[in-house]
Amino acid sequence: TFVERHWLLRVTYKTVLWLPPLVIASLLLYGCYIYVYLLCFASLYTNGHRALPLLYLSVFLPLWTLAVASLVRVVYADPGFLSEQRKRQLIDLGEKYRFTDSDGSSPSSLSPPEIREGEREGEREGGREREREGTHAAVASVSLTGSGVLSLEEHSEGHVRTRYSVANPLASADDPLVLEEGEGDGDNPMLLLDRNDLSYCKHCAMLRPPRTHHCRQCRRCVRKMDHHCPVINNCVGFGNYKFFVLLLVYGWALCWIGWPTALTKFVLVEWEGPNTTDAQLVIGMILAMAYALVLTLFGGMHLRMVFINKTTLEQMDDCSRGNKYDVGAMENFYQVFGRKKHLWPLPVFTAEGDGCRYPSAVDVAHVV
């Protein structure tokens, strides 16, 4: 683009992108200054109220620290970009395997573009040498049978043999592949993905896992992408969604604790006329009330989506399609926050899974 071709415009543009996160950080610092120094120390403690400000600070400071830590994590954490290893696996999947329906037809949504002879030859040379051992000119195909079994077949010298037969497309390290015929090396876990959930990214020129979307700002595919947030100058996805929700929750709590407790200054301390301390307290209270209302709506929306297992992009999609990933409120919550309760309030990564495979309501129903 025009901006990318000029280094000065490029530097200016990237600098502007960091302004919103700096504004949020400045608001947190300014709020801490108002509450800790102006309210608790200058207004209450110096006027003889000793216990009350200590009580306020014992609640405010831990929440403020967690909010700052959540902001840092959500800004700098990987939102769920596909690793180079995953990209290679998906590219190999698209190049080596033909995705077919039961009638042999190829769905257009999954058909990758033609691969030119010799493209990325050096990158795959080592893998090809291993593939040549025992087989000649092998062509593979992946099909999803009517019983829900994902099978990989190799066509070699006119013969067809099943290499993998996976009864559970959501198999993991704890639920290994079920091998029926032949040996399976299991070197590409992307084979376990439900074929019907795969889509093709024309920007990255590769297949992508379910719930993965391409971010035009980041120019990369993001697992379980929720949205690109200019306020944090980062995508929100599988890798940092918990931090994003925690930032909303802690910001909401700080606002709803801040402005009501700040009112006690005007009740307990005698009015001494207009001064800068009172003016700044009033400004802080107005900002806290405004953000409290915004975060109540915005945070409530995202908490609801956590419990119904939907992203913002999926919420904006056609609602008539239903939600196959809703496996119950608490199971949905565990997918984002994990099962260790003592880690729920901490901005540490605890999401379940790898961001590429997700249980569905149908799978849970079959298990039950």
Side-chain angles (χ1 to χ4, degrees), residues 30-49:
Y30 183 60
C32 183
Y33 163 74
I34 291 177
Y35 198 87
V36 174
Y37 178 75
L38 294 183
L39 175 64
C40 294
F41 179 75
S43 298
L44 295 178
Y45 189 81
T46 57
N47 284 281
H49 302 281

Side-chain angles (χ1 to χ4, degrees), residues 226-294:
D226 189 87
H227 67 288
H228 183 88
C229 184
V231 176
I232 62 173
N233 190 28
N234 197 4
C235 267
V236 177
F238 172 77
N240 63 350
Y241 189 55
K242 176 189 176 182
F243 312 144
F244 181 76
V245 174
L246 287 178
L247 177 61
L248 296 178
V249 170
Y250 291 136
W252 172 87
L254 289 173
C255 290
W256 281 108
I257 291 173
W259 73 263
T261 53
L263 287 174
T264 58
K265 187 270 178 187
F266 300 99
V267 175
L268 299 176
V269 179
E270 184 179 354
W271 173 257
E272 298 177 354
N275 56 72
T276 56
T277 298
D278 290 344
Q280 291 187 75
L281 284 174
V282 171
I283 293 174
M285 290 170 58
I286 293 174
L287 289 174
M289 286 187 285
Y291 276 99
L293 295 176
V294 172

Side-chain angles (χ1 to χ4, degrees), residues 134-337:
T135 60
H136 301 281
V139 180
S141 65
V142 175
S143 61
L144 183 66
T145 65
S147 61
V149 177
L150 184 68
S151 64
L152 169 63
E153 295 179 347
E154 276 192 354
H155 303 255
S156 178
E157 298 181 346
H159 301 284
V160 179
R161 70 184 183 92
T162 301
R163 288 189 62 197
Y164 306 95
S165 181
V166 186
N168 178 14
L170 300 166
S172 61
D174 297 327
D175 186 12
L177 292 170
V178 179
L179 301 179
E180 289 187 349
E181 300 179 22
E183 292 295 327
D185 54 11
D187 59 348
N188 193 346
M190 295 299 99
L191 289 170
L192 303 179
L193 294 174
D194 189 338
R195 179 185 61 81
N196 296 319
D197 290 335
L198 293 173
S199 59
Y200 186 76
C201 178
K202 62 181 180 180
H203 302 284
C204 299
M206 66 179 185
L207 296 174
R208 57 189 176 193
R211 312 185 82 178
T212 299
H213 297 273
H214 187 87
C215 176
R216 294 181 181 272
Q217 286 76 20
C218 298
R219 299 183 179 181
R220 297 176 67 179
C221 283
V222 181
R223 291 169 291 165
K224 197 182 178 183
M225 179 178 174
D226 189 87
H227 67 288
H228 183 88
C229 184
V231 176
I232 62 173
N233 190 28
N234 197 4
C235 267
V236 177
F238 172 77
N240 63 350
Y241 189 55
K242 176 189 176 182
F243 312 144
F244 181 76
V245 174
L246 287 178
L247 177 61
L248 296 178
V249 170
Y250 291 136
W252 172 87
L254 289 173
C255 290
W256 281 108
I257 291 173
W259 73 263
T261 53
L263 287 174
T264 58
K265 187 270 178 187
F266 300 99
V267 175
L268 299 176
V269 179
E270 184 179 354
W271 173 257
E272 298 177 354
N275 56 72
T276 56
T277 298
D278 290 344
Q280 291 187 75
L281 284 174
V282 171
I283 293 174
M285 290 170 58
I286 293 174
L287 289 174
M289 286 187 285
Y291 276 99
L293 295 176
V294 172
L295 292 175
T296 297
L297 298 176
F298 194 59
M301 179 187 72
H302 275 280
L303 282 175
R304 174 181 175 273
M305 288 194 293
V306 167
F307 284 104
I308 66 174
N309 207 341
K310 266 193 174 183
T311 64
T312 299
L313 293 177
E314 293 169 348
Q315 189 78 12
M316 296 169 61
D317 200 0
D318 185 8
C319 298
S320 63
R321 298 178 184 176
N323 182 13
K324 63 177 290 185
Y325 299 110
D326 186 359
V327 291
M330 287 309 301
E331 288 298 325
N332 297 336
F333 180 83
Y334 293 150
Q335 287 187 26
V336 178
F337 283 81

Side-chain angles (χ1 to χ4, degrees), residues 355-366:
C356 293
R357 294 168 287 173
Y358 297 91
S360 66
V362 176
D363 301 313
V364 174
H366 286 168

Side-chain angles (χ1 to χ4, degrees), residues 82-130:
L82 289 170
S83 64
E84 292 302 318
Q85 180 183 7
R86 281 284 187 263
K87 287 181 181 179
R88 287 194 296 270
Q89 292 169 349
L90 290 165
I91 290 173
D92 288 343
L93 191 65
E95 293 179 358
K96 296 177 182 178
Y97 307 149
R98 294 178 291 107
F99 286 81
T100 59
D101 291 326
S102 57
D103 58 357
S105 62
S106 297
S108 59
S109 62
L110 294 178
S111 299
E114 295 183 359
I115 306 300
R116 295 185 297 274
E117 186 66 25
E119 185 179 13
R120 289 186 292 270
E121 189 68 25
E123 180 181 335
R124 302 194 304 272
E125 189 62 32
R128 286 181 173 179
E129 289 296 332
R130 292 190 298 271

